[in-house]
């Protein structure tokens, strides 16, 4: 079985472990002093790219659910987190009409949980902006390319 690997740098490991454990309804399978990993069979991954004028790099992450009941269950999880949850019902974004809930992790990364209702012929609603992501509830730090490391600093 193939898995998509997503590695996110975080500022507060403990807060991030709590956020993701709640988001995924699972504890990490590996925890170290500076690292945690979840090996998940659910959710499956939907990976998308766009060239609409937004800054290059990670735009947001998300969990796509199959129906309204699963979306309600995800909203229940998100409501347990510290921080704002933004609700968007029947929204037009990324060539789809969807019901969504947005949360921002402790490092400022936007997460959407959503149920796609239908495909639509346009990227978004009335606006021609390059991004459907709400403003983060947590202020993001300045972003730049990763520093080159002689030690190879990867997993």
């Amino acid at each position: 079985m193939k898995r998509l690997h997503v590695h996110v740098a975080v500022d507060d490991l403990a807060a991030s472990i709590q956020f993701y454990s709640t988001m995924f309804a699972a504890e990490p399978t590996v925890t170290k002093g500076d690292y945690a990993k979840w090996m998940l069979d659910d959710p499956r991954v939907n990976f998308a790219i766009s060239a609409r004028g937004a800054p290059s790099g990670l735009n947001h992450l998300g969990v796509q659910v199959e129906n309204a009941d699963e979306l309600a269950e995800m909203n229940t999880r998100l409501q347990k987190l510290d921080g704002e949850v933004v609700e968007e019902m029947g929204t037009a974004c990324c060539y789809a009409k969807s019901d969504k809930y947005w949360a921002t992790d402790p490092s400022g990364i936007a997460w959407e949980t959503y149920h796609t209702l239908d495909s639509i012929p346009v990227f978004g609603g009335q606006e021609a902006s390059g991004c459907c992501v709400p403003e983060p509830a947590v202020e993001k730090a300045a972003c730049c390319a990763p520093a080159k490391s002689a030690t190879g600093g990867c997993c």
Side-chain angles (χ1 to χ4, degrees), residues 119-150:
S119 62
I120 59 174
V122 294
F123 185 82
Q126 302 286 349
E127 301 174 16
S129 72
C131 187
C132 298
V133 180
E135 288 296 316
V138 174
E139 187 174 321
K140 288 186 179 184
C143 180
C144 59
K148 301 279 186 204
S149 171

Side-chain angles (χ1 to χ4, degrees), residues 12-63:
D12 184 338
L13 187 68
S16 296
I17 288 172
Q18 191 266 330
F19 179 91
Y20 289 113
S21 293
T22 302
M23 172 75 80
F24 298 137
E27 294 300 314
T29 53
V30 176
T31 306
K32 304 291 184 185
D34 61 351
Y35 179 84
K37 176 172 69 174
W38 290 258
M39 295 293 288
L40 303 169
D41 293 323
D42 181 21
R44 295 172 294 160
V45 174
N46 174 337
F47 180 75
I49 61 172
S50 64
R52 302 193 52 84
S56 295
L58 179 63
N59 182 268
H60 67 277
L61 299 171
V63 177

Side-chain angles (χ1 to χ4, degrees), residues 21-139:
S21 293
T22 302
M23 172 75 80
F24 298 137
E27 294 300 314
T29 53
V30 176
T31 306
K32 304 291 184 185
D34 61 351
Y35 179 84
K37 176 172 69 174
W38 290 258
M39 295 293 288
L40 303 169
D41 293 323
D42 181 21
R44 295 172 294 160
V45 174
N46 174 337
F47 180 75
I49 61 172
S50 64
R52 302 193 52 84
S56 295
L58 179 63
N59 182 268
H60 67 277
L61 299 171
V63 177
Q64 181 178 5
V65 300
E66 299 292 325
N67 57 54
D69 289 340
E70 289 180 355
L71 184 62
E73 193 271 330
M74 286 300 299
N75 182 39
T76 299
R77 290 186 201 179
L78 296 176
Q79 296 303 324
K80 294 176 185 175
L81 299 170
D82 289 333
E84 179 184 14
V85 176
V86 176
E87 177 182 308
E88 294 182 335
M89 296 294 123
T91 191
C93 184
C94 300
Y95 300 98
K97 181 178 177 183
S98 302
D99 290 341
K100 301 181 180 195
Y101 294 100
W102 290 91
T104 304
D105 84 355
S107 295
I109 296 172
W111 276 84
E112 71 176 324
T113 59
Y114 65 102
H115 173 223
T116 300
L117 305 170
D118 200 0
S119 62
I120 59 174
V122 294
F123 185 82
Q126 302 286 349
E127 301 174 16
S129 72
C131 187
C132 298
V133 180
E135 288 296 316
V138 174
E139 187 174 321

